[in-house]
Amino acid sequence: MKLYTKLFVSAVALCMTLAVSAQQAREDFRKDITLSGSNYKAYPGPQKQLTPAPAGYTPYYISHYGRHGSRYLIGANDYDRPYKALKKLADAGMLTEKGLEVFDKVGQIREEARGRDGELTKLGAEQHRGIAKRMYERFPEVFKGKTNIDAKSTQVVRCILSMENALLQFATMNPELNITHDASHHDLYYMNQKDSVLGALKREGTKSQEFNEFSKKHNTGDHVMDLLFKDRGFLKENKISGLWLVKQIFELASNIQSTELRHKFNMYDLFNEDEVYDFWAGSNAWWYVNYGNSPLSGGNQGFSQRNLVRKIISEADSCLAFPHPGATLRYGHDTMVMPLVCLLNLNGYGRQMPLDDLDKNGWLNYRIFPMACNVQFIFYHKNDQDKDVIFKVLLNEDEAELPDLKPVQGCYYKWGDFKDYFLKKINDYEKK
C-alpha cells in the first residue's frame, strides 16, 4: 500500500506541475497584466541578484546589444483607424456607455501620440539611463578612469536617443570616459541585418495550416464586443471588423504603460482573463514563427543575427587585448534581440516545439523582448592576464544560461568555448 500511495502522490504532484507549467502565462498575467502586451511591455529591470565570479576573476569588458526604450506605436493608422471606427459608431449611437468611455480614452491616447510616430517616450529615455546606471554600478572596474566606450545605433531616431540617454548617464558618472558614438548605414549589416531567404521562410510559416489553426483557436473578443457595441450587425453592414477593432484596442491598452497616460488610466479592465490570454498567445506564436526557431519557418530564424554574433566575437577579441577595454554598446530593435537570443539558445529559447507547447515549455515572449530589452556579455580575466578569459551573459540584466556550453562555474563560461561553438554553428549554416 505504501508503494501505491507514493506512486499516487507522485502522479498527482506531476499532474499539478504540468498544470502549473501549462498555465504559466496566465499566472504571470494575474500578477502583472502588462506582461500580456508582449513587445509592448515596459522594461521591468533586473529581477534577480547577480552571483559572484569565480575566485580571482574581475570584470574588464562589456559587449552589449539593446533595443530602444519605450515608444509610441509605429504608424499613425495604429491610432487613427480605431479612433475613426469608434467615432463612426459613436456618431451612429451604436456605442454603449462603456464604449463611449473607451472612445474618449482612445481619443486621449491618439492626441498624446500626435506627431510622435514611433518616437521614444519619456519613460523610454529613463529606461536607458537606468540600464546604464546599473551597468556602471554593477561592474565599476570596467568603467574606471579614462576607459573607452564605443556606441553604435541604427539610424532610427528612437534608437539614437536611447543611445544618447545611456551615454549621458555614463558621462555623468565618470566625466573622464572616452566616449565615441555613431549611427550609420555602414553598420546596418550587423546592427539591423536583413535576410531575404529567411524572410521568405517567415511568410511560409505564417501561411501554414498549424499557425492559422492556432490563430483561429485564439481569436476571441465576443465579451468585449458585447461590452462596447449595441448592435454588432451595424458593424457588419458598415464593413467594420469587430474582432479587428477589439484587437486594436488591446494593442492601445498594452502601450499605455509606455506613456505618461499610464498615470491617468488603463484599459485592461475591458478584457476578461481568457481574452487577455488569447490575444497574448496569438502574438506569442506570431513572434515565435517569425523570429524564433520555429520548424514552421525553417527552424533557423536565429541565424538572421549571424553577422551580429561574428561582430560581437571580433570586437571582443580586439578589445580584450587592452588593459582597460571598456564597453561596446549597440542600440537597435526587438527584431534583432529575439533572434539573437534564439541563436545563442539563451535559457533554452532556441528550442523547437509545436505552437501549442510554447506556454508550457516556457517560451514566453515578454521575458525576452520588453521595451529596452538587452543582451550583455560581461568578460572577466584573472590577475590581469588576458588568457583564460571567462564571461557570462545577461538577458535583461539577469544572468542567463547557455545550454550548449559547459560552464566553468554557475553561469560563467570560457570565452574560447563560446567562439569555437558558435563560429562553427554559423559556418555550418552558411555552407548549406
Side-chain angles (χ1 to χ4, degrees), residues 20-61:
V20 170
S21 177
Q23 300 296 317
Q24 182 60 59
R26 288 184 185 272
E27 289 298 320
D28 287 347
F29 300 158
R30 289 177 190 133
K31 296 173 184 175
D32 180 3
I33 197 171
T34 64
L35 293 169
S36 65
S38 298
N39 61 321
Y40 294 124
K41 169 62 186 169
Y43 189 67
Q47 305 297 300
K48 302 174 184 177
Q49 295 293 319
L50 298 180
T51 59
Y57 281 92
T58 55
Y60 76 124
Y61 173 65

Side-chain angles (χ1 to χ4, degrees), residues 107-133:
Q108 292 182 60
I109 293 169
R110 177 176 178 248
E111 189 58 35
E112 188 202 35
R114 187 182 297 278
R116 296 187 176 278
D117 185 2
E119 290 182 1
L120 196 71
T121 65
K122 179 181 177 182
L123 180 60
E126 293 170 358
Q127 289 161 352
H128 277 286
R129 289 196 294 270
I131 292 168
K133 184 174 186 291

Side-chain angles (χ1 to χ4, degrees), residues 350-414:
R351 290 174 295 162
Q352 297 186 10
M353 65 195 80
L355 300 183
D356 284 326
D357 291 346
L358 290 175
D359 189 353
K360 70 181 181 182
N361 286 338
W363 206 97
L364 309 170
N365 58 11
Y366 51 83
R367 293 185 178 176
I368 304 174
F369 69 158
M371 297 288 184
C373 59
N374 57 92
V375 176
Q376 301 178 26
F377 287 72
I378 316 298
F379 292 84
Y380 295 74
H381 61 177
K382 193 172 186 179
N383 301 322
D384 293 326
Q385 296 297 312
D386 293 332
K387 61 182 180 179
D388 298 326
V389 172
I390 65 172
F391 74 102
K392 66 180 174 183
V393 182
L394 307 183
L395 174 58
N396 300 326
E397 301 181 82
D398 286 329
E399 291 167 339
E401 294 182 358
L402 287 161
D404 300 319
L405 301 181
K406 181 181 178 181
V408 175
Q409 174 183 310
C411 60
Y412 295 85
Y413 302 87
K414 290 184 179 179

Side-chain angles (χ1 to χ4, degrees), residues 60-72:
Y60 76 124
Y61 173 65
I62 295 175
S63 182
H64 151 282
Y65 188 99
R67 181 192 185 191
H68 57 77
S70 282
R71 60 163 171 79
Y72 293 98

Side-chain angles (χ1 to χ4, degrees), residues 317-358:
D317 281 347
S318 174
C319 289
L320 293 175
F322 293 91
H324 301 296
T328 303
L329 310 175
R330 309 170 186 90
Y331 296 86
H333 307 271
D334 51 357
T335 50
M336 307 299 116
V337 174
M338 176 167 278
L340 172 64
V341 167
C342 293
L343 177 56
L344 300 179
N345 195 23
L346 283 184
N347 292 339
Y349 281 114
R351 290 174 295 162
Q352 297 186 10
M353 65 195 80
L355 300 183
D356 284 326
D357 291 346
L358 290 175

